Amino acid sequence: MTISPYEQEIHDLGQVATLLYETDPAVSRILFGKSKADAVEKISRLILTGGNDYGKETLYVYTLHGVARGVLVAFDAKARASMDDSAAFMRVSRWVDKLRLATLGRALEGMLTKEIPPDCLYISNVCVDPVVRGQGIGTALIDYAAGLAYEHGCSRLLLDVSGSNTRAARLYERLGFTRYTTRRSLLLFGAQVHGMEKRLVPSGL
């Protein structure tokens, strides 16, 4: 078992992109269209292009017996400021998709331009292959994110979880996250999204 930054020479791009799609299939369909195959191809291009919410610079892969079984995307305020998600998404989209994205307007912009407080590491995506769920991989990925936070001088972890994803919310609560806000997502047609945070104990204590 290893968790490491994404490397094209080591990790299977299709496996990784598929896991990112499965992070939230409903959002993936909204962003990339109804075809899973097309969505995975677009996510693959976003990974390789970099400079966006799926980019290789902030992507980490859990590998078990040579197969990608989990993914994590996490970044701080500095990395977030260097991203241009809107431009990246438009580059990988066909003209029909561009029209659909344009109609999402404020909902899409609010998702793609999330501001990260300077003391926080934001966990944008985390997913474990259903085949190996229940084996501690989700916990390992969150622990890895905490290590990244220490490296970046951050004292808090932040993430968002859909109100309907009770399994994930329970895991985060067991790992010390607490809910600090609940909002309605325009992108998900008013569905609840919970903002959760975990305050980290200073390294060495």
Side-chain angles (χ1 to χ4, degrees):
M1 178 280 292
T2 60
I3 303 177
S4 60
Y6 172 80
E7 293 186 46
Q8 189 175 0
E9 297 78 11
I10 296 174
H11 302 112
D12 185 293
L13 180 61
Q15 292 174 0
V16 173
T18 300
L19 286 170
L20 285 172
Y21 174 92
E22 295 294 346
T23 301
D24 194 328
V27 170
S28 295
R29 285 190 292 271
I30 291 169
L31 293 176
F32 304 113
K34 294 181 180 179
S35 167
K36 180 177 178 179
D38 285 350
V40 169
E41 190 272 334
K42 291 170 187 172
I43 293 171
S44 298
R45 291 168 61 191
L46 287 171
I47 291 171
L48 297 179
T49 299
N52 64 81
D53 198 53
Y54 293 90
K56 57 191 175 184
E57 304 93 341
T58 56
L59 173 60
Y60 307 88
V61 184
Y62 184 110
T63 304
L64 184 64
H65 305 308
V67 179
R69 295 298 192 184
V71 290
L72 166 75
V73 177
F75 44 80
D76 60 9
K78 183 177 179 180
R80 169 76 272 185
S82 68
M83 296 178 185
D84 190 345
D85 281 325
S86 296
F89 276 59
M90 288 298 181
R91 280 197 298 271
V92 303
S93 299
R94 295 169 299 185
W95 69 269
V96 174
D97 298 319
K98 292 178 181 179
L99 288 176
R100 177 172 44 79
L101 292 175
T103 63
L104 293 172
R106 268 192 322 118
L108 181 63
E109 189 67 17
M111 175 190 173
L112 298 180
T113 58
K114 183 177 181 66
E115 293 186 4
I116 312 300
D119 65 330
C120 295
L121 186 83
Y122 180 66
I123 298 173
S124 174
N125 293 278
V126 61
C127 183
V128 176
D129 189 331
V131 174
V132 291
R133 283 179 185 168
Q135 299 184 28
I137 296 175
T139 299
L141 289 168
I142 297 297
D143 288 344
Y144 189 87
L148 292 173
Y150 287 127
E151 290 178 14
H152 289 269
C154 299
S155 59
R156 289 187 292 159
L157 294 175
L158 296 183
L159 57 81
D160 292 315
V161 60
S162 169
S164 63
N165 195 348
T166 55
R167 178 189 178 99
R170 286 196 298 267
L171 170 64
Y172 300 142
E173 288 170 354
R174 288 199 304 271
L175 295 176
F177 284 83
T178 58
R179 190 185 307 176
Y180 69 92
T181 186
T182 297
R183 65 184 186 278
R184 297 283 181 179
S185 170
L186 294 174
L187 191 65
L188 295 175
F189 309 106
Q192 282 192 337
V193 175
H194 304 308
M196 304 186 76
E197 72 170 351
K198 179 178 181 178
R199 296 186 179 274
L200 301 173
V201 176
S203 181
L205 295 184

